[in-house]
Amino acid sequence: MRGLEVIVVVLAAVLTMTWLARRLRWNEPVMLVAGGCLIGLIPDFRGPALPPEVVLLLFLPPLLYWESLTTSLREIRTNVRGIVLLATGLVLATAAAVASVGHALGLSWPLAFVLGAVVAPTDAIAVATVARGLPRRIRTILRAESLINDGTALTLYAVVIGVAVEGLAVTWTDTAVRFLLAYAGGAAIGCGCAAVVVALRRRLRDRSVENALGVLTPFATYLPAQVLGVSGVLAVVTCGLILSQAGPKVISAGSRVQIISFWEVSTSLLNSALFVLVGVQTPAIVSGIGSVSPGHAVITASLVSGVVIATRLLWLYSVPYLIRAVDRRPVQRTLRYGARQRFPLAWSGVRGAVSLAAALAVPTTTAAGRPLAGHGLLVFTAVTVILVTLVLQGTTMPAVIRWSGLHGDPDENAEERRAHRHIIAAALEALPDHAKRLKTPPETADAILSELRQYAAEKAEPPDTDDTGVRAGLELGRDLIGVERSALIRLRDQRSIDDIVLRRLQSLLDTEEIRIELALSAFTGRPP
């Protein structure tokens, strides 16, 4: 019953704090963490409520999968160099900087590097929350960075935890090989799982089975990677990115609408529940710092938090300018941001539940059975970094975005308008052939032709038609939606439009196709 009680209380806190935050227009993650802290003060909830394996095996795969499905692969390709530098170089630099401070404050070098690996990665969920309102390119960079840097940090974590707990010797060659295998193996498993899913999708016709496959995919991708000792994070992200490209071609409209609705609801609840669970853990962690004095723990945690924030600022105001001095290509100049516009990117280093899960997963004893000195201080510091970045950076991000002068992406709306005109033009061109093949009555074809021309002119209301040839008209409309969808996918594949624009227009086409299928079912007597 204890597990059920925790679930009910956490979900109640999610609903209450989310409603309160929106009512008061406060930062939702901060409110959720605060609600969790209040729950954590209740004696019955002072025990562990967030086992590390729950985050790594239950929360992390679906959240990473949904984030990778809904990001922009075109923007990732365009900004791949910057994303890789942030997701690898910045993670390693942050880990090294934190380790130096931690060692200076009394932690052993191995445990100091464990702390560095724990707090180095940004949190995909928290970043997505604070990045609202930023242009598409910066949002994509932040999301892609937070998707990939978990793999870098967790691989580094696995290396240094072996040194700290088991006393293993590590060489630069062994570490480099381990990183390479983790990345290559994770990407290979992600590609393989995506290929299997696409092959199954092409053969499935049962909507319930299709949706069950969609729910299973992130877990079935993550687990094999973890069992083989490679990056489960990168496997899930790779699989999600591939399916974001193949999905529009192999998933039916009805299945897509259902699975999108499922993921939107479930990931929203998982996101919020993670913040609440972080808060639930906090009181017990604060009271369990061990033999370290509270003053020393606070100083250590404060300094490490400052180093985490300062390292990101220093990186983003040094490395890009060094690259500019070397790479003078005109195409790279078009991608540059000024110092003021760069600040939101530098200020978005929010940490979250993955860092907490990694900290809680650190054993309390060594392989020899001796207590691991500094364990309580490490966990306390990790929690402090999460709370400081979440509160300080999360609550100030709207003001930072306003100060930077950055707004939503106007190109996104322009792309959507161009895509809308293009798919209507494709439908107009294909209409005569499809009308002839389906033997559609001329008056029905003319009515649909008039409707398409009105849509092309961006008029909202289609003309009224009588019931003559209704079934033939519906069948013709369904065929034309297929033409429009194919034209839309071609635009995406040619990189004329972004994945975000494709998903937006695809949703409209799916809704219209489902409406037609429901209407046709009245003629056939079969469910759509």
Side-chain angles (χ1 to χ4, degrees), residues 267-285:
T267 55
S268 176
L269 287 175
L270 288 174
N271 291 345
S272 300
L274 274 178
F275 288 120
V276 172
L277 289 170
V278 168
V280 171
Q281 296 287 125
T282 300
I285 290 170

Side-chain angles (χ1 to χ4, degrees), residues 413-479:
N413 294 328
E415 283 182 15
E416 184 175 348
R417 288 193 295 271
R418 289 197 303 270
H420 178 266
R421 289 193 293 267
H422 180 86
I423 63 176
I424 293 298
L428 285 170
E429 183 179 353
L431 189 149
D433 290 339
H434 284 270
K436 182 178 180 180
R437 178 176 61 82
L438 294 170
K439 298 179 181 179
T440 305
E443 61 274 15
T444 302
D446 289 343
I448 294 176
L449 179 65
S450 175
E451 178 180 337
L452 288 172
R453 285 172 175 167
Q454 285 199 4
Y455 285 157
E458 299 184 354
K459 294 181 180 178
E461 295 296 330
D464 293 330
T465 58
D466 56 29
D467 291 336
T468 305
V470 171
R471 178 173 180 176
L474 291 171
E475 291 175 343
L476 178 58
R478 181 179 58 187
D479 278 16

Side-chain angles (χ1 to χ4, degrees), residues 137-155:
R137 182 188 167 207
I138 294 183
R139 288 201 316 270
T140 302
I141 291 173
L142 289 171
R143 292 175 70 184
E145 174 204 357
S146 59
L147 288 173
I148 299 171
N149 65 15
D150 286 341
T152 305
L154 292 176
T155 303

Side-chain angles (χ1 to χ4, degrees), residues 197-198 201-202 204 210 243 246-252 256:
V197 171
V198 170
R201 288 282 190 188
R202 293 186 187 280
L204 292 176
E210 280 190 84
L243 293 179
K249 304 173 186 177
V250 298
I251 302 177
S252 65
R256 184 164 42 242

Side-chain angles (χ1 to χ4, degrees), residues 76 78-95 120-122 137 141-142 144-146 148-150 152-153 183 311-312 314-324 326-327 329 332 342 345 351:
I76 290 176
T78 302
N79 301 281
V80 64
R81 183 175 66 189
I83 291 170
V84 170
L85 286 172
L86 289 171
T88 56
L90 179 55
V91 168
L92 298 176
T94 303
T122 56
R137 182 188 167 207
I141 291 173
L142 289 171
E145 174 204 357
S146 59
I148 299 171
N149 65 15
D150 286 341
T152 305
Y183 271 87
T311 303
R312 185 177 183 88
L314 181 61
W315 180 276
L316 280 161
Y317 280 98
S318 60
V319 173
Y321 294 97
L322 294 175
I323 295 175
R324 284 185 186 183
V326 177
D327 190 351
R329 290 177 298 164
Q332 290 299 319
R342 183 177 297 279
L345 187 63
R351 271 59 180 176

Side-chain angles (χ1 to χ4, degrees), residues 54 356 447:
V54 172
L356 179 61

